[in-house]
Amino acid sequence: TLYLYRGQAKVALNMLEEAESDYLQAYEKDSTKSEIINALASLYFAMGLYEDSHFYLDKSLKINDKDIFAHYYKGFAYFKQTKFDLA
């Protein structure tokens, strides 16, 4: 969607808060698209908001439990939180 692509452009420009707004609008329009959900998860990860990142990664894994991106970022977020037993 347009909001997803605009959000990706804003991430590239390091405009993370503005990208969040676009990603959330994309999510409101289609909450079942893993590309949108993973974009939100990786954005929150980049912002250091690991719990928010986990929330969206869990949603992504409910859609596709073999999603490599979601598994990678979920483990990495646990690592960043020093929850090594979960990583």
Side-chain angles (χ1 to χ4, degrees):
T1 68
L2 172 65
Y3 292 113
L4 174 63
Y5 300 134
R6 190 168 69 179
Q8 290 170 333
K10 288 180 180 175
V11 168
L13 295 170
N14 202 32
M15 300 168 61
L16 303 184
E17 289 80 18
E18 292 88 346
E20 178 185 23
S21 175
D22 286 330
Y23 284 163
L24 288 172
Q25 286 181 321
Y27 181 75
E28 283 179 21
K29 294 200 176 287
D30 188 353
S31 63
T32 63
K33 196 169 187 179
S34 59
E35 184 179 10
I36 295 169
I37 297 167
N38 286 341
L40 270 165
S42 65
L43 174 70
Y44 288 131
F45 181 90
M47 296 170 82
L49 301 172
Y50 304 118
E51 293 301 323
D52 293 329
S53 182
H54 280 295
F55 176 79
Y56 286 101
L57 291 167
D58 288 341
K59 286 184 172 290
S60 182
L61 289 169
K62 285 181 184 173
I63 293 169
N64 177 5
D65 66 346
K66 294 180 179 18
D67 187 327
I68 294 169
F69 176 93
H71 281 290
Y72 173 81
Y73 270 94
K74 191 165 177 71
F76 200 22
Y78 281 133
F79 178 81
K80 291 291 229 173
Q81 293 174 290
T82 64
K83 296 180 179 178
F84 302 119
D85 56 323
L86 298 173

